[in-house]
Amino acid sequence: MIQNEAPPGPRLPSGPAIPAETSNPGVPPVAGSTFPIVGIGASAGGLAAFEAFFSGMPAESDPGMAFVLVQHLAPDHESLLTGLIRRSTRMQVFEVTDGMEVRPNCAYIIPPNHDMAFLGGRLQLLPPAAPRGLRLPIDFFFRSLASDQHERAIGIVLSGTGSDGAAGVRAIKGEGGMVMAQTPISTEYDGMPRSALATGLVDFELPPAAMPAQLMAYAAHAFGPRPPGADAPPPGTDNAMRKLFILLRTQTGHDFSQYKPSTIDRRIGRRMAVHQITTKDAYVQYLQQTPAEVEALFRDLLIGVTSFFRDPQTFEALAKKVIPRLFADKPPGSRIRVWSPGCSTGEEAYSLAILLQEHLDTLPLQFQIQIFATDIDSQAIATARAGTYPASVAADIAPERLARFFTTDADAGTVRVNKSIRDILVFSEQDVIKDPPFSRLDLLSCRNLLIYMDGELQKKLIPLFHYALAPGGFLFLGTSETVGDFNDLFSGVDRKLKLYQRRDDGYSVHRPHPGRFLLPTPVRDIGVAPRAGKLPAAGKLPLRELAEQTLLQQSTQAGVLVNAQGDILYLHGRSGLYLEPPPGEVGVSNALRMARDGLRRPLGTALHKARADKVRVRCPGLRVKTNGDFTTVDLAVCPVTTGQAATLDEPLFLIILEQAPSCDCAPPSSRPDQTPDDGPNPSHTAAEAGITALQQELRAKEEYLQTTIEELETSNEELKSSNEEMQSINEELQSTNEEMETSKEELQSVNEELSTVNAELQSKLADLSQANNDMSNLLAGTGIATVFVDHRLRILRFTPATTRIINLIQGDVGRPVGHIVSNVVGYSNLVEDVQAVLDTLAPQETDVQVTDGRWYTMRILPYRTLDNVIEGVVITFVDITEKKQAHALLQQANAQLRLAVISRDFQDAIVVQTLDGRLTAWNPAAVRLFGWSEAEALTMHLRDMLPEDLEQQELESIGQCAGGGIQTPYQTRRLTKDGQSLAVGLTASSLIDSEGRRYALATIVRLTQRKNAP
């Protein structure tokens, strides 16, 4: 188990157990601590949950956190989870290797047959410590993640059997992290999510697909960039905190105002992040409008990270240095009294009971052990009373202790504390800040509680602990706690492990009453706890408190709070005059069994009547035997019906015992104010005789009643003997059942691993089916005609496009390829070419044409399996009709290009014009002859080149040529750009398109004589 240097504290008796501050706040964060780390645990049925989770991640943005997946895997089976997750997310996915650094926006998956821990931004792989069938890899990782990342640790529990993850949830919440669990109705196996939800610590209960959005919203609010000045507390923050404390105190009855602000702020900030509230004033308003959130905040503040034998070296020192001394000076049969305030769900209290019982078993003498374990959280106390915990706690308990003091329930995935240990403890709700403490204690274990309280409150509690301890008693604190300035009250047994012993010097004689330290009013109204021999000035305390304190100190009443069966829950005042422990083994303290002679019968009768009629019952003037004498006692039993007790599951009753005022009962002869007569007084004699008769009658009834009670007790003893015999038989059957459960656990674990393997194979089968469908659609979508032929030249399958080339139908599958009629023109060597490819493994390719005129490239390739085995051939037909047409067009373009080259290099001017005289072509010779550039000429009309005297005649000649008239050369004149008139020879030809239509006129112009412009 990974431990913290400053371990997280247990649940505080009057407030939360908030995680310890980091020991070195100035040290830069380790790698990976600047972004949240999300641990995701799953078991059977987890594959679908993983895929749904990552499918819900946004595709357009990065989450800004890292994800570590922990799953129960068979040690000898290679996991397919990495490949399955890669197809569901855009993030990088890795199977973890030892020492791998964790980076944001990546997913990391645990490999088979390993435990995994997180430390310093890296993932460490370890060999499994527990045997197969008892491994809890999710708890192991969650605990290490919480210890390393604190509030940046996020845990998610998905589908799975058993209770793995529940202890890890407590660890993460104890460090201020956030926890999600899959909605049980959406799981294939709901054991793990239900165990996580049963802790009461889960922040969000969602289906996997809805988790990423909530997760990113929480991370953006809790860890996102803070606006400028956000670190400085806004005005009114202190006032908002006071209002928040008032709301908590009003609804829960507990005051949190004297705890360290930093730790309180962190818990409140986490609740604000859950609801995405930005300011404390807004959160106070939300609390006022939502009473359920007040209770949720109270539960969040009460998170207690505790475990069996936490800090093993500390408990080992306690067992060696302290526990033997508790029994050393005690007479046989005496009682060892222990108090564990802030017990949370009871793990440490049970650990103390186990240590005490182990030492008691080594002693030849008999002692009684009684441990009082208290907390303000009713839910935690209910869990502690039940003594049932998730099976994951077995990792913190030595195997021999687990077998001796616990019973395992494999079906429920729990372990239960045996009755022999459970009967040692008394669990009750109590606030150490305002409720009176237990007294005459031999050991007080208050670990990791004081570090969350401010200095003033610590100064009140340390003297209170001194008062509660018996002379020579021991105080057991957490590794980060000390007695502070009260070294005169305690001496160190082991200061490193925080073991102290009560000093019994001058102060112990004059030590103040506990009322001096803790009052029933809120603790912030109290001054600093006084030191030895110093009383606070009267003006520093309210007059009402002084009056109530004085009345309590002067009261001679003893009060005993019991349930309907008489089990003692709380003691007030000096009750030893009326109650004493019975001889023999001690279980739960019961007021009826502890009542002294003369009190037991009326107490039982009064309790029965008060329970039945729900009224106050008084029995005045009872004669109770005390130390060989009789004391007159007034007894009253009244139901508790006010305050929080009215909402309890079982009714409570308060037994009030008070010594009656002494009366002058001396005989007449001894009274000082009377003179004795010489003879007896007849009236006195008759009265005394009557009194004597009544006393004898009363004594006879008491003897009869005593006989009846003894007979009843004898019957009870016989029933008890029979019950013990049945218990012995039951233990033998239970031993056999435990062996069967062990085998069942192993089979269940193997079955769970097989379920995981089966889920992976089903996923792979679905992938193969999907791939086959994709391949079929790909082949059909490409339009490439493909035929698969086996080594015996039989058709295996073909694509739909093949039917346009070869006359195939679905019934042709299995027929020889040579029996099929094709539409290929002029090609009949298909069978021979296929056989040649099978023989030589050399691909063949040829172009073929089908009857509709389309062209295809036919390729014949060997069909190879993944094992490189030739199983046949693949025939493909790729349509190249457009390619053929493009080739023809290219040839035509090449021919035109050659003509263009001729036109360019021709020495005579070539001019092309439309039928209406617009110039459309102008070769370089024309540029040289006439002077106009090609760009200029293409904007001109033919008349721009004609002399005025020839314009009409030339246009008529050109028109005749365009109409198919004369095309013989003739002499004419043309103008140049600079106005010169040239004598030229001209040959004109019509241009005709593919449909026989004339569309232009081409002329070849050759210079015959140059003339000057007229």
mmCIF file with all atom_site columns, all heavy atoms in Angstrom, residues 808-824:
data_model
loop_
_atom_site.group_PDB
_atom_site.id
_atom_site.type_symbol
_atom_site.label_atom_id
_atom_site.label_alt_id
_atom_site.label_comp_id
_atom_site.label_asym_id
_atom_site.label_entity_id
_atom_site.label_seq_id
_atom_site.pdbx_PDB_ins_code
_atom_site.Cartn_x
_atom_site.Cartn_y
_atom_site.Cartn_z
_atom_site.occupancy
_atom_site.B_iso_or_equiv
_atom_site.pdbx_formal_charge
_atom_site.auth_seq_id
_atom_site.auth_comp_id
_atom_site.auth_asym_id
_atom_site.auth_atom_id
_atom_site.pdbx_PDB_model_num
ATOM 1   N N   . LEU A 1 808 ? -22.301 -13.443 -65.688 1.00 0.00 ? 808 LEU A N   1
ATOM 2   C CA  . LEU A 1 808 ? -22.299 -14.162 -64.412 1.00 0.00 ? 808 LEU A CA  1
ATOM 3   C C   . LEU A 1 808 ? -23.573 -13.863 -63.642 1.00 0.00 ? 808 LEU A C   1
ATOM 4   O O   . LEU A 1 808 ? -24.090 -12.738 -63.670 1.00 0.00 ? 808 LEU A O   1
ATOM 5   C CB  . LEU A 1 808 ? -21.090 -13.747 -63.559 1.00 0.00 ? 808 LEU A CB  1
ATOM 6   C CG  . LEU A 1 808 ? -19.710 -14.233 -64.009 1.00 0.00 ? 808 LEU A CG  1
ATOM 7   C CD1 . LEU A 1 808 ? -18.621 -13.606 -63.143 1.00 0.00 ? 808 LEU A CD1 1
ATOM 8   C CD2 . LEU A 1 808 ? -19.613 -15.744 -63.956 1.00 0.00 ? 808 LEU A CD2 1
ATOM 9   N N   . ILE A 1 809 ? -24.058 -14.887 -62.939 1.00 0.00 ? 809 ILE A N   1
ATOM 10  C CA  . ILE A 1 809 ? -25.123 -14.744 -61.954 1.00 0.00 ? 809 ILE A CA  1
ATOM 11  C C   . ILE A 1 809 ? -24.650 -15.416 -60.667 1.00 0.00 ? 809 ILE A C   1
ATOM 12  O O   . ILE A 1 809 ? -23.618 -16.103 -60.640 1.00 0.00 ? 809 ILE A O   1
ATOM 13  C CB  . ILE A 1 809 ? -26.445 -15.369 -62.455 1.00 0.00 ? 809 ILE A CB  1
ATOM 14  C CG1 . ILE A 1 809 ? -26.243 -16.873 -62.729 1.00 0.00 ? 809 ILE A CG1 1
ATOM 15  C CG2 . ILE A 1 809 ? -26.966 -14.645 -63.684 1.00 0.00 ? 809 ILE A CG2 1
ATOM 16  C CD1 . ILE A 1 809 ? -27.546 -17.580 -63.105 1.00 0.00 ? 809 ILE A CD1 1
ATOM 17  N N   . GLN A 1 810 ? -25.401 -15.200 -59.558 1.00 0.00 ? 810 GLN A N   1
ATOM 18  C CA  . GLN A 1 810 ? -24.956 -15.731 -58.268 1.00 0.00 ? 810 GLN A CA  1
ATOM 19  C C   . GLN A 1 810 ? -24.856 -17.256 -58.296 1.00 0.00 ? 810 GLN A C   1
ATOM 20  O O   . GLN A 1 810 ? -24.048 -17.843 -57.581 1.00 0.00 ? 810 GLN A O   1
ATOM 21  C CB  . GLN A 1 810 ? -25.923 -15.279 -57.154 1.00 0.00 ? 810 GLN A CB  1
ATOM 22  C CG  . GLN A 1 810 ? -25.350 -15.394 -55.745 1.00 0.00 ? 810 GLN A CG  1
ATOM 23  C CD  . GLN A 1 810 ? -24.128 -14.523 -55.545 1.00 0.00 ? 810 GLN A CD  1
ATOM 24  O OE1 . GLN A 1 810 ? -24.056 -13.426 -56.086 1.00 0.00 ? 810 GLN A OE1 1
ATOM 25  N NE2 . GLN A 1 810 ? -23.151 -15.019 -54.824 1.00 0.00 ? 810 GLN A NE2 1
ATOM 26  N N   . GLY A 1 811 ? -25.651 -17.884 -59.137 1.00 0.00 ? 811 GLY A N   1
ATOM 27  C CA  . GLY A 1 811 ? -25.591 -19.342 -59.212 1.00 0.00 ? 811 GLY A CA  1
ATOM 28  C C   . GLY A 1 811 ? -24.330 -19.857 -59.879 1.00 0.00 ? 811 GLY A C   1
ATOM 29  O O   . GLY A 1 811 ? -24.054 -21.076 -59.840 1.00 0.00 ? 811 GLY A O   1
ATOM 30  N N   . ASP A 1 812 ? -23.546 -18.994 -60.514 1.00 0.00 ? 812 ASP A N   1
ATOM 31  C CA  . ASP A 1 812 ? -22.309 -19.429 -61.163 1.00 0.00 ? 812 ASP A CA  1
ATOM 32  C C   . ASP A 1 812 ? -21.164 -19.627 -60.184 1.00 0.00 ? 812 ASP A C   1
ATOM 33  O O   . ASP A 1 812 ? -20.097 -20.114 -60.575 1.00 0.00 ? 812 ASP A O   1
ATOM 34  C CB  . ASP A 1 812 ? -21.883 -18.400 -62.219 1.00 0.00 ? 812 ASP A CB  1
ATOM 35  C CG  . ASP A 1 812 ? -22.842 -18.372 -63.403 1.00 0.00 ? 812 ASP A CG  1
ATOM 36  O OD1 . ASP A 1 812 ? -23.427 -19.433 -63.688 1.00 0.00 ? 812 ASP A OD1 1
ATOM 37  O OD2 . ASP A 1 812 ? -23.001 -17.299 -64.016 1.00 0.00 ? 812 ASP A OD2 1
ATOM 38  N N   . VAL A 1 813 ? -21.348 -19.230 -58.935 1.00 0.00 ? 813 VAL A N   1
ATOM 39  C CA  . VAL A 1 813 ? -20.295 -19.442 -57.935 1.00 0.00 ? 813 VAL A CA  1
ATOM 40  C C   . VAL A 1 813 ? -20.048 -20.934 -57.792 1.00 0.00 ? 813 VAL A C   1
ATOM 41  O O   . VAL A 1 813 ? -20.980 -21.723 -57.580 1.00 0.00 ? 813 VAL A O   1
ATOM 42  C CB  . VAL A 1 813 ? -20.687 -18.806 -56.589 1.00 0.00 ? 813 VAL A CB  1
ATOM 43  C CG1 . VAL A 1 813 ? -19.669 -19.172 -55.515 1.00 0.00 ? 813 VAL A CG1 1
ATOM 44  C CG2 . VAL A 1 813 ? -20.816 -17.296 -56.721 1.00 0.00 ? 813 VAL A CG2 1
ATOM 45  N N   . GLY A 1 814 ? -18.801 -21.344 -57.907 1.00 0.00 ? 814 GLY A N   1
ATOM 46  C CA  . GLY A 1 814 ? -18.434 -22.761 -57.841 1.00 0.00 ? 814 GLY A CA  1
ATOM 47  C C   . GLY A 1 814 ? -18.233 -23.402 -59.202 1.00 0.00 ? 814 GLY A C   1
ATOM 48  O O   . GLY A 1 814 ? -17.694 -24.512 -59.289 1.00 0.00 ? 814 GLY A O   1
ATOM 49  N N   . ARG A 1 815 ? -18.660 -22.734 -60.289 1.00 0.00 ? 815 ARG A N   1
ATOM 50  C CA  . ARG A 1 815 ? -18.466 -23.286 -61.634 1.00 0.00 ? 815 ARG A CA  1
ATOM 51  C C   . ARG A 1 815 ? -17.089 -22.933 -62.163 1.00 0.00 ? 815 ARG A C   1
ATOM 52  O O   . ARG A 1 815 ? -16.504 -21.902 -61.799 1.00 0.00 ? 815 ARG A O   1
ATOM 53  C CB  . ARG A 1 815 ? -19.532 -22.733 -62.586 1.00 0.00 ? 815 ARG A CB  1
ATOM 54  C CG  . ARG A 1 815 ? -20.951 -23.198 -62.291 1.00 0.00 ? 815 ARG A CG  1
ATOM 55  C CD  . ARG A 1 815 ? -21.927 -22.576 -63.269 1.00 0.00 ? 815 ARG A CD  1
ATOM 56  N NE  . ARG A 1 815 ? -21.576 -22.938 -64.653 1.00 0.00 ? 815 ARG A NE  1
ATOM 57  C CZ  . ARG A 1 815 ? -22.138 -22.391 -65.714 1.00 0.00 ? 815 ARG A CZ  1
ATOM 58  N NH1 . ARG A 1 815 ? -23.053 -21.436 -65.556 1.00 0.00 ? 815 ARG A NH1 1
ATOM 59  N NH2 . ARG A 1 815 ? -21.773 -22.767 -66.939 1.00 0.00 ? 815 ARG A NH2 1
ATOM 60  N N   . PRO A 1 816 ? -16.523 -23.750 -63.061 1.00 0.00 ? 816 PRO A N   1
ATOM 61  C CA  . PRO A 1 816 ? -15.230 -23.421 -63.667 1.00 0.00 ? 816 PRO A CA  1
ATOM 62  C C   . PRO A 1 816 ? -15.332 -22.143 -64.492 1.00 0.00 ? 816 PRO A C   1
ATOM 63  O O   . PRO A 1 816 ? -16.350 -21.874 -65.151 1.00 0.00 ? 816 PRO A O   1
ATOM 64  C CB  . PRO A 1 816 ? -14.917 -24.632 -64.533 1.00 0.00 ? 816 PRO A CB  1
ATOM 65  C CG  . PRO A 1 816 ? -15.737 -25.736 -63.962 1.00 0.00 ? 816 PRO A CG  1
ATOM 66  C CD  . PRO A 1 816 ? -16.987 -25.098 -63.433 1.00 0.00 ? 816 PRO A CD  1
ATOM 67  N N   . VAL A 1 817 ? -14.281 -21.359 -64.478 1.00 0.00 ? 817 VAL A N   1
ATOM 68  C CA  . VAL A 1 817 ? -14.298 -20.093 -65.180 1.00 0.00 ? 817 VAL A CA  1
ATOM 69  C C   . VAL A 1 817 ? -14.380 -20.292 -66.688 1.00 0.00 ? 817 VAL A C   1
ATOM 70  O O   . VAL A 1 817 ? -14.883 -19.430 -67.432 1.00 0.00 ? 817 VAL A O   1
ATOM 71  C CB  . VAL A 1 817 ? -13.058 -19.261 -64.796 1.00 0.00 ? 817 VAL A CB  1
ATOM 72  C CG1 . VAL A 1 817 ? -11.781 -19.890 -65.338 1.00 0.00 ? 817 VAL A CG1 1
ATOM 73  C CG2 . VAL A 1 817 ? -13.185 -17.830 -65.294 1.00 0.00 ? 817 VAL A CG2 1
ATOM 74  N N   . GLY A 1 818 ? -13.903 -21.428 -67.190 1.00 0.00 ? 818 GLY A N   1
ATOM 75  C CA  . GLY A 1 818 ? -13.950 -21.695 -68.620 1.00 0.00 ? 818 GLY A CA  1
ATOM 76  C C   . GLY A 1 818 ? -15.338 -21.952 -69.135 1.00 0.00 ? 818 GLY A C   1
ATOM 77  O O   . GLY A 1 818 ? -15.565 -21.930 -70.358 1.00 0.00 ? 818 GLY A O   1
ATOM 78  N N   . HIS A 1 819 ? -16.310 -22.258 -68.260 1.00 0.00 ? 819 HIS A N   1
ATOM 79  C CA  . HIS A 1 819 ? -17.670 -22.537 -68.697 1.00 0.00 ? 819 HIS A CA  1
ATOM 80  C C   . HIS A 1 819 ? -18.501 -21.270 -68.834 1.00 0.00 ? 819 HIS A C   1
ATOM 81  O O   . HIS A 1 819 ? -19.681 -21.357 -69.205 1.00 0.00 ? 819 HIS A O   1
ATOM 82  C CB  . HIS A 1 819 ? -18.359 -23.476 -67.702 1.00 0.00 ? 819 HIS A CB  1
ATOM 83  C CG  . HIS A 1 819 ? -17.752 -24.850 -67.691 1.00 0.00 ? 819 HIS A CG  1
ATOM 84  N ND1 . HIS A 1 819 ? -18.246 -25.870 -66.899 1.00 0.00 ? 819 HIS A ND1 1
ATOM 85  C CD2 . HIS A 1 819 ? -16.694 -25.380 -68.380 1.00 0.00 ? 819 HIS A CD2 1
ATOM 86  C CE1 . HIS A 1 819 ? -17.502 -26.959 -67.084 1.00 0.00 ? 819 HIS A CE1 1
ATOM 87  N NE2 . HIS A 1 819 ? -16.565 -26.685 -67.979 1.00 0.00 ? 819 HIS A NE2 1
ATOM 88  N N   . ILE A 1 820 ? -17.929 -20.146 -68.511 1.00 0.00 ? 820 ILE A N   1
ATOM 89  C CA  . ILE A 1 820 ? -18.695 -18.903 -68.493 1.00 0.00 ? 820 ILE A CA  1
ATOM 90  C C   . ILE A 1 820 ? -18.478 -18.169 -69.812 1.00 0.00 ? 820 ILE A C   1
ATOM 91  O O   . ILE A 1 820 ? -17.352 -18.064 -70.311 1.00 0.00 ? 820 ILE A O   1
ATOM 92  C CB  . ILE A 1 820 ? -18.267 -18.013 -67.307 1.00 0.00 ? 820 ILE A CB  1
ATOM 93  C CG1 . ILE A 1 820 ? -18.365 -18.813 -65.994 1.00 0.00 ? 820 ILE A CG1 1
ATOM 94  C CG2 . ILE A 1 820 ? -19.142 -16.774 -67.225 1.00 0.00 ? 820 ILE A CG2 1
ATOM 95  C CD1 . ILE A 1 820 ? -19.741 -19.354 -65.706 1.00 0.00 ? 820 ILE A CD1 1
ATOM 96  N N   . VAL A 1 821 ? -19.588 -17.649 -70.377 1.00 0.00 ? 821 VAL A N   1
ATOM 97  C CA  . VAL A 1 821 ? -19.520 -16.895 -71.632 1.00 0.00 ? 821 VAL A CA  1
ATOM 98  C C   . VAL A 1 821 ? -19.208 -15.443 -71.299 1.00 0.00 ? 821 VAL A C   1
ATOM 99  O O   . VAL A 1 821 ? -19.856 -14.836 -70.440 1.00 0.00 ? 821 VAL A O   1
ATOM 100 C CB  . VAL A 1 821 ? -20.843 -16.989 -72.413 1.00 0.00 ? 821 VAL A CB  1
ATOM 101 C CG1 . VAL A 1 821 ? -20.775 -16.140 -73.688 1.00 0.00 ? 821 VAL A CG1 1
ATOM 102 C CG2 . VAL A 1 821 ? -21.156 -18.440 -72.745 1.00 0.00 ? 821 VAL A CG2 1
ATOM 103 N N   . SER A 1 822 ? -18.203 -14.891 -72.000 1.00 0.00 ? 822 SER A N   1
ATOM 104 C CA  . SER A 1 822 ? -17.830 -13.501 -71.775 1.00 0.00 ? 822 SER A CA  1
ATOM 105 C C   . SER A 1 822 ? -18.222 -12.652 -72.970 1.00 0.00 ? 822 SER A C   1
ATOM 106 O O   . SER A 1 822 ? -18.479 -13.149 -74.069 1.00 0.00 ? 822 SER A O   1
ATOM 107 C CB  . SER A 1 822 ? -16.326 -13.386 -71.530 1.00 0.00 ? 822 SER A CB  1
ATOM 108 O OG  . SER A 1 822 ? -15.604 -13.622 -72.724 1.00 0.00 ? 822 SER A OG  1
ATOM 109 N N   . ASN A 1 823 ? -18.248 -11.333 -72.752 1.00 0.00 ? 823 ASN A N   1
ATOM 110 C CA  . ASN A 1 823 ? -18.567 -10.367 -73.799 1.00 0.00 ? 823 ASN A CA  1
ATOM 111 C C   . ASN A 1 823 ? -17.313 -9.750  -74.412 1.00 0.00 ? 823 ASN A C   1
ATOM 112 O O   . ASN A 1 823 ? -17.398 -8.719  -75.077 1.00 0.00 ? 823 ASN A O   1
ATOM 113 C CB  . ASN A 1 823 ? -19.456 -9.256  -73.232 1.00 0.00 ? 823 ASN A CB  1
ATOM 114 C CG  . ASN A 1 823 ? -20.803 -9.791  -72.763 1.00 0.00 ? 823 ASN A CG  1
ATOM 115 O OD1 . ASN A 1 823 ? -21.354 -10.706 -73.382 1.00 0.00 ? 823 ASN A OD1 1
ATOM 116 N ND2 . ASN A 1 823 ? -21.321 -9.229  -71.685 1.00 0.00 ? 823 ASN A ND2 1
ATOM 117 N N   . VAL A 1 824 ? -16.152 -10.341 -74.134 1.00 0.00 ? 824 VAL A N   1
ATOM 118 C CA  . VAL A 1 824 ? -14.889 -9.805  -74.632 1.00 0.00 ? 824 VAL A CA  1
ATOM 119 C C   . VAL A 1 824 ? -14.763 -10.144 -76.120 1.00 0.00 ? 824 VAL A C   1
ATOM 120 O O   . VAL A 1 824 ? -15.005 -11.290 -76.537 1.00 0.00 ? 824 VAL A O   1
ATOM 121 C CB  . VAL A 1 824 ? -13.711 -10.372 -73.835 1.00 0.00 ? 824 VAL A CB  1
ATOM 122 C CG1 . VAL A 1 824 ? -12.391 -9.830  -74.380 1.00 0.00 ? 824 VAL A CG1 1
ATOM 123 C CG2 . VAL A 1 824 ? -13.858 -10.016 -72.360 1.00 0.00 ? 824 VAL A CG2 1
#
